[in-house]
Amino acid sequence: MTETPTRLREYEADLVVESVDQAADGVVVLTLSHPAGDALPPWTPGAHVDLVLTPDLVRQYSLCSSPTDSHRLQVGVLRAEDSRGGSTFIHDNLVVGSTVLTRGPRNHFPLVASPRYLFIAGGIGVTPMLPMIEEAVATGADWQLVYGGRSRASMAFLPILEQYGDRVTLLPRDEVDRSLSQRIDDLLGTPTSGTLVYCCGPEPLLSAVEQACTSWPDGTLHLERFHAKASEEGQVDTSFEVVLARSGLTIQVSADESIFRAVEGVGIPVLGSCHEGVCGTCETVVLEGDVDHRDVVLNDSEKASNETMMVCVSRCNGDRLVIDL
Ligand code: FES
């Protein structure tokens, strides 16, 4: 059994919006602090928080401030054209003095120590790169950021990034002959040992980078997705048994329900937020059984290790799982 048990509690507080700053066309940066001035939980580069905008509207946003500031958290929010409600709500409703229930921070995109990093960001995917760059600078690592966007006006944080000179390559599509997605082969065509690749941005960019990194050493690529992946063709949901080892209960999960809902249904507490396999809140330790992983939180080697699972979406490849709940 892995030594870290399933988390059943995390920080949650109504934070106050201290400022709302326009960071680019359609992008605002919210600065959040505790109403009583209390210190906020520590976090590391790559972490995100949940903003609970309404009881049914919970969204994850990467932190773009400095982990050394223990009293303020900042998130950058793009008003997404295909918004499912979160970014529109934030842009239209949150003003200085608003409160927003905030959970976390949690980190499924941690910066692993390395002598060299290649950061690749598309659009608002640049937000987690800011604290990562701060850490890379602090540790003396060699690093490059390649940052693509629609136009300079739509690309957030340029004044901060321009200070880093030629470590940062800006690729506004309306100025360059080849966009970021057309340069993936140039960037990643030759596997290099000792370099870790961190990428955040729209799904086509993530998929292209994932594809290009298949010939790189294992563990090179670190991605962050904030949207569930489409279900795989031919994916079938079956029923199976789940043993809740801590509670001493055995439950049957039917083909049309999640483990999360089945566990909740028998009154066992389980932490959850997104219910689509993207936030990592419901990560649960697996004690026995073969998991059918369907989340976008764990990387391939974490999935292969079968140590934990996201019980909101992942299922069982056989007929029985034993989990730490
Ligand atoms: Fe978000 Fe399960 S609740 S990953």
Side-chain angles (χ1 to χ4, degrees), residues 194-267:
T195 298
L196 295 184
V197 178
Y198 279 76
C199 179
C200 187
E203 184 55 42
L205 174 69
L206 297 174
S207 302
V209 168
E210 214 166 22
Q211 185 58 38
C213 280
T214 49
S215 51
W216 285 59
D218 281 351
T220 295
L221 178 61
H222 300 258
L223 292 177
E224 175 135 270
R225 284 191 161 90
F226 279 122
H227 291 290
K229 262 187 164 176
S231 5
E232 281 169 24
E233 214 173 313
Q235 200 166 60
V236 181
D237 294 345
T238 55
S239 90
F240 51 91
E241 182 180 274
V242 176
V243 178
L244 308 178
R246 240 195 269 192
S247 322
L249 284 178
T250 298
I251 58 172
Q252 196 64 30
V253 177
S254 61
D256 61 355
E257 72 180 338
S258 64
I259 297 177
F260 189 104
R261 295 297 179 207
V263 170
E264 221 180 24
V266 293

Side-chain angles (χ1 to χ4, degrees):
M1 175 180 167
T2 166
E3 283 175 15
T4 314
T6 307
R7 262 179 332 122
L8 295 176
R9 198 164 294 151
E10 69 178 351
Y11 179 84
E12 181 175 293
D14 278 315
L15 299 187
V16 178
V17 177
E18 213 176 83
S19 62
V20 181
D21 297 301
Q22 198 74 33
D25 285 354
V27 178
V28 290
V29 172
L30 301 181
T31 303
L32 305 168
S33 60
H34 193 278
D38 293 358
L40 301 172
W43 57 279
T44 52
H48 70 267
V49 287
D50 284 355
L51 298 187
V52 184
L53 303 167
T54 70
D56 297 323
L57 192 57
V58 184
R59 292 290 181 264
Q60 291 71 45
Y61 295 98
S62 294
L63 293 169
C64 59
S65 43
S66 170
T68 59
D69 184 347
S70 57
H71 285 78
R72 266 170 225 87
L73 298 176
Q74 287 184 318
V75 294
V77 182
L78 167 72
R79 183 191 282 275
E81 282 164 23
D82 58 348
S83 170
R84 295 175 302 148
S87 70
T88 305
F89 184 97
I90 288 172
H91 278 255
D92 292 347
N93 295 285
L94 294 189
V95 295
V96 173
S98 302
T99 55
V100 57
L101 183 61
T102 306
R103 289 192 200 129
R106 63 186 85 90
N107 197 348
H108 290 283
F109 190 41
L111 192 68
V112 175
S114 173
R116 205 173 314 114
Y117 299 101
L118 173 58
F119 300 115
I120 301 175
I124 195 64
V126 74
T127 49
M129 305 304 177
L130 265 59
M132 286 188 177
I133 289 171
E134 183 182 314
E135 180 151 324
V137 170
T139 59
D142 187 11
W143 63 274
Q144 293 287 322
L145 167 70
V146 186
Y147 174 21
R150 213 174 53 248
S151 64
R152 239 167 238 273
S154 74
M155 295 167 69
F157 309 117
L158 295 192
I160 298 172
L161 294 172
E162 279 163 352
Q163 295 172 26
Y164 294 115
D166 60 10
R167 285 193 182 274
V168 174
T169 304
L170 300 178
L171 298 172
R173 274 201 302 279
D174 61 349
E175 288 180 29
V176 293
D177 54 348
R178 287 184 314 135
S179 67
L180 172 56
S181 32
Q182 291 165 322
R183 295 179 194 228
I184 296 302
D185 284 346
D186 301 355
L187 289 169
L188 299 168
T190 311
T192 314
S193 63
T195 298
L196 295 184
V197 178
Y198 279 76
C199 179
C200 187
E203 184 55 42
L205 174 69
L206 297 174
S207 302
V209 168
E210 214 166 22
Q211 185 58 38
C213 280
T214 49
S215 51
W216 285 59
D218 281 351
T220 295
L221 178 61
H222 300 258
L223 292 177
E224 175 135 270
R225 284 191 161 90
F226 279 122
H227 291 290
K229 262 187 164 176
S231 5
E232 281 169 24
E233 214 173 313
Q235 200 166 60
V236 181
D237 294 345
T238 55
S239 90
F240 51 91
E241 182 180 274
V242 176
V243 178
L244 308 178
R246 240 195 269 192
S247 322
L249 284 178
T250 298
I251 58 172
Q252 196 64 30
V253 177
S254 61
D256 61 355
E257 72 180 338
S258 64
I259 297 177
F260 189 104
R261 295 297 179 207
V263 170
E264 221 180 24
V266 293
I268 301 299
V270 49
L271 214 54
S273 183
C274 72
H275 294 280
E276 48 184 20
V278 300
C279 75
T281 315
C282 69
E283 184 171 15
T284 299
V285 171
V286 179
L287 303 172
E288 274 176 49
D290 183 7
V291 178
D292 174 9
H293 292 282
R294 299 186 182 184
D295 63 278
V296 296
V297 178
L298 300 177
N299 62 32
D300 288 346
S301 61
E302 289 166 333
K303 285 176 180 168
S305 79
N306 213 43
E307 284 180 5
T308 67
M309 70 182 296
M310 303 303 145
V311 291
C312 63
V313 291
S314 294
R315 304 188 65 82
C316 178
N317 278 324
D319 52 18
R320 183 172 177 270
L321 286 177
V322 184
I323 59 176
D324 178 35
L325 277 175

